[in-house]
Amino acid sequence: MTVLGSLRVTDSSVSIMAASSREHVLSLYRLLLKESKKFPSYNYRTYALRPVRDAFRENRTAEDPEVVEELLNRARDSLALIQRQVCIGKMFEIQKTVVEQEDNKSD
């Protein structure tokens, strides 16, 4: 147990908060991947997935709460951007690429 002034914090409650934060980050990551896969265009889909994966891999060791909060804010902004772009992309008909046509044959 750690004593912080008059506030007592057990090590288990700190690890629970860290686990909760980890779950929140993973949930946001999964949501970003899920939304990125909704792009109607293959090129936009693959382009959106790459920076999401790269950013989370690059920053997975971040522990400073201020840095983590800033990264989470950026991720939330990216999620909103992706959701808007997916909506706009669905308004227009697109032509399937050769890669997408081959994917459909294998299903």
Side-chain angles (χ1 to χ4, degrees):
M1 180 170 14
T2 307
V3 178
L4 300 173
S6 61
L7 176 66
R8 292 182 181 184
V9 180
T10 62
D11 292 335
S12 62
S13 67
V14 171
S15 62
I16 290 171
M17 288 189 302
S20 172
S21 176
R22 178 179 166 79
E23 288 301 315
H24 180 70
V25 169
L26 290 175
S27 173
L28 184 58
Y29 176 66
R30 285 187 209 109
L31 189 56
L32 278 160
L33 292 178
K34 181 180 172 185
E35 290 297 318
S36 295
K37 290 177 183 177
K38 290 182 180 179
F39 275 106
S41 169
Y42 173 80
N43 290 330
Y44 285 118
R45 256 193 321 272
T46 55
Y47 178 77
L49 287 169
R50 189 177 340 113
V52 168
R53 288 184 181 132
D54 291 347
F56 274 83
R57 283 183 188 141
E58 180 182 327
N59 296 302
R60 70 178 178 203
T61 57
E63 293 183 7
D64 182 21
E66 291 177 7
V67 172
V68 170
E69 190 60 36
E70 175 63 30
L71 292 169
L72 285 172
N73 287 335
R74 283 191 207 163
R76 287 184 199 107
D77 291 343
S78 295
L79 177 61
L81 176 79
I82 289 169
Q83 289 171 331
R84 282 192 308 270
Q85 289 303 117
V86 166
C87 277
I88 292 170
K90 288 182 178 181
M91 290 180 190
F92 303 98
E93 187 176 330
I94 60 161
Q95 220 175 6
K96 298 281 185 186
T97 63
V98 174
V99 176
E100 290 174 302
Q101 291 170 356
E102 289 177 8
D103 286 345
N104 290 338
K105 290 177 186 176
S106 65
D107 289 341

